[in-house]
Amino acid sequence: MNAKPDGPGTPSPSGNARIGADEEPEVPTHVSLHADGVLHLRGDLEVATPEGPRQETRVMPCGCGRTGNTPYCDYSGVCGEHK
């Protein structure tokens, strides 16, 4: 089984969301595509990372390939300009 984050309020690897035991995932999973092409996922998610699978509640995956934090957007490309 996948390891859980360290605890409530643990920053996610993407840096754009907080995860922890106090946040319940949306069921069913919600996916939203913004007008600028940014994709947001919210729910009970398992994300494949270079370090192995990771449980997440919210993610913004990189869509442009410029991230230094695969598979998460780190705002280094066009996909993160909407901040």
Side-chain angles (χ1 to χ4, degrees):
M1 201 83 210
N2 297 329
K4 288 287 187 182
D6 295 331
T10 303
S12 76
S14 63
N16 65 355
R18 306 287 292 177
I19 55 177
D22 58 339
E23 184 174 0
E24 292 294 320
E26 285 188 19
V27 177
T29 298
H30 178 78
V31 177
S32 57
L33 177 62
H34 294 252
D36 59 3
V38 176
L39 187 65
H40 291 248
L41 300 116
R42 186 175 174 90
D44 189 10
L45 308 168
E46 181 178 282
V47 180
T49 72
E51 293 80 30
R54 182 178 171 92
Q55 292 298 124
E56 295 279 8
T57 304
R58 293 179 274 164
V59 295
M60 188 172 99
C62 177
C64 71
R66 293 188 174 179
T67 186
N69 192 21
T70 301
Y72 307 98
C73 178
D74 66 1
Y75 303 105
S76 60
V78 176
C79 63
E81 289 180 1
H82 79 283
K83 278 202 238 186

